[in-house]
Amino acid sequence: MSIQAKFTNTSFSLGKQVQKMFLLTNELTLSEEQMSDLYARRWGVEVFFRTVKQSCERSKLLSRTPENARQEIQWTLLGVWIAMTQGARSIPAGRRMSPVRVMRVFEKLVLAVSRLSAKKLNLQNALSLCVIADESSRTSEKNSKDYPRKKRKRQTGEPTVAPICDELQSLAKTRLA
């Protein structure tokens, strides 16, 4: 049994960065440009699902039955898609959108509506501020991104022993006797 495959060295842009990548496919009719475009689109899908799982805290579904789980994920994906589409429309040209900030704006909107707040949230203005921070002046890597966020236990030192008062000493003697 033989399988035909196409192996190519290609590059594509993700934001400001150009990524070089080796791609292997069994789709022999695609050109290098089509392969890199397809991979870049696929990467966008992966980023979208990462946003749903991490930013929307949907790594686990709350539903217990398959039908309810299907409806839960469909409504979640629809809501995130609408939020991201609206956020992308509101971002100034040439800037990249922060999915986390978009979700926070919609969270504030839902909370404001649920509280029947008189204070109105200007959705368009709030979404236009959901841009990724400019890190062009960064001189070091983001090393702490993988840092384990664990509580550190304090080291125990020498115990401090306080002398017992006469009253407690006599009470202990009467109870032990």
Side-chain angles (χ1 to χ4, degrees):
M1 179 175 155
S2 69
I3 298 174
Q4 290 186 342
K6 186 176 184 179
F7 183 73
T8 184
N9 180 5
T10 186
S11 62
F12 61 94
S13 61
L14 285 175
K16 294 180 182 178
Q17 298 177 346
V18 174
Q19 300 286 329
K20 292 191 176 192
M21 181 91 34
F22 291 100
L23 297 175
L24 178 66
T25 182
N26 61 351
E27 185 58 56
L28 303 175
T29 60
L30 295 177
S31 68
E32 274 190 34
E33 186 178 308
Q34 289 172 322
M35 286 174 60
S36 64
D37 182 53
L38 188 62
Y39 186 81
R41 290 174 188 241
R42 176 65 187 156
W43 188 252
V45 171
E46 293 296 329
V47 170
F48 175 75
F49 278 105
R50 185 194 68 198
T51 299
V52 170
K53 289 168 68 174
Q54 291 180 353
S55 304
C56 302
E57 299 174 4
R58 288 297 192 177
S59 59
K60 291 185 179 179
L61 297 176
L62 304 175
S63 303
R64 299 212 182 262
T65 65
E67 181 58 33
N68 289 348
R70 195 174 302 112
Q71 286 183 6
E72 181 181 350
I73 195 65
Q74 286 173 347
W75 281 108
T76 300
L77 293 175
L78 181 64
V80 171
W81 179 76
I82 290 171
M84 295 302 137
T85 302
Q86 193 63 36
R89 289 180 181 165
S90 304
I91 297 297
R95 304 292 304 268
R96 290 180 50 211
M97 179 182 67
S98 168
V100 173
R101 290 181 181 176
V102 170
M103 295 312 295
R104 286 181 186 155
V105 167
F106 275 91
E107 184 180 343
K108 285 180 185 177
L109 176 67
V110 169
L111 289 174
V113 169
S114 69
R115 293 181 185 143
L116 299 173
S117 174
K119 175 184 159 190
K120 292 187 178 180
L121 176 66
N122 184 340
L123 183 62
Q124 193 71 23
N125 184 42
L127 287 173
S128 69
L129 301 174
C130 295
V131 295
I132 293 178
D134 179 25
E135 296 183 352
S136 60
S137 61
R138 180 181 288 278
T139 58
S140 63
E141 291 290 321
K142 288 182 166 181
N143 291 332
S144 68
K145 68 179 180 176
D146 297 325
Y147 181 79
R149 305 282 187 218
K150 296 179 182 176
K151 291 184 179 178
R152 295 184 185 255
K153 292 182 180 178
R154 290 185 188 173
Q155 287 187 338
T156 57
E158 288 287 322
T160 54
V161 180
I164 190 169
C165 66
D166 293 336
E167 183 181 333
L168 287 176
Q169 192 171 10
S170 64
L171 180 63
K173 285 181 180 177
T174 57
R175 294 224 173 150
L176 292 175

